[in-house]
Amino acid sequence: MKIAIKLILLIDDDAAANFLHRSILSKVCPAATVVTSENGATALEYLEALKRGEDALPELILLDINMPVMNGWAFLENYGRQEVSSSGTELYLMLTTPLTETDQARASSYKVITGFIKKPLSIATAVEKFS
């Protein structure tokens, strides 16, 4: 990603991972604001509120798959149906385990996915992908 990142949305229910990832992202993208959401439903509400307010949408979304309330797959289903998905936002899936063949096929059906990142996010990966 070679654009200036001003807003990052981190969607993950793991508080410890959010703390670590926020710290890394703040170092790699010091001008960016990092907003966290604990599930896909609150993330979609946040994105819709930004859009209604005509505020800039995040340049980067990091999405966990396994979450309560609305998991990453359900978020992707809903995100793909909304106008917010055409914003040029880079969306990466955060993976704790390797994708199964079924999950790989499912993930490849979503055109909004930019790539995959193994959790936990490292400084080296963040530098490679986002700076």
Side-chain angles (χ1 to χ4, degrees):
M1 179 178 285
K2 300 300 177 199
I3 61 168
I5 300 174
K6 298 176 194 140
L7 180 60
I8 299 169
L9 177 57
L10 177 59
I11 309 169
D12 195 332
D13 65 316
D14 183 336
N18 285 339
F19 179 82
L20 174 65
H21 295 156
R22 179 186 290 271
S23 174
I24 288 170
L25 292 166
S26 295
K27 288 177 183 162
V28 174
C29 307
T33 300
V34 180
V35 175
T36 57
S37 180
E38 294 178 353
N39 64 67
T42 58
L44 287 170
E45 290 170 8
Y46 173 72
L47 292 168
E48 282 299 321
L50 288 177
K51 187 159 178 68
R52 280 191 308 272
E54 298 183 12
D55 293 326
L57 293 169
E59 291 84 11
L60 176 62
I61 296 175
L62 300 177
L63 174 65
D64 185 33
I65 294 296
N66 299 312
M67 296 177 286
V69 182
M70 179 185 283
N71 67 23
W73 297 121
F75 171 85
L76 287 167
E77 285 293 323
N78 287 283
Y79 180 77
R81 287 189 216 125
Q82 297 181 359
E83 292 180 28
V84 295
S85 67
S86 61
S87 66
T89 297
E90 302 254 349
L91 192 155
Y92 285 84
L93 291 183
M94 300 287 287
L95 306 170
T96 53
T97 58
L99 286 178
T100 65
E101 286 184 31
T102 303
D103 285 342
Q104 286 177 0
R106 186 176 184 183
S108 66
S109 72
Y110 295 100
K111 304 297 182 222
V112 297
I113 297 174
T114 304
F116 305 95
I117 298 172
K118 187 167 176 12
K119 284 174 62 175
L121 178 65
S122 69
I123 290 178
T125 299
V127 167
E128 174 190 335
K129 302 278 187 189
F130 314 130
S131 66

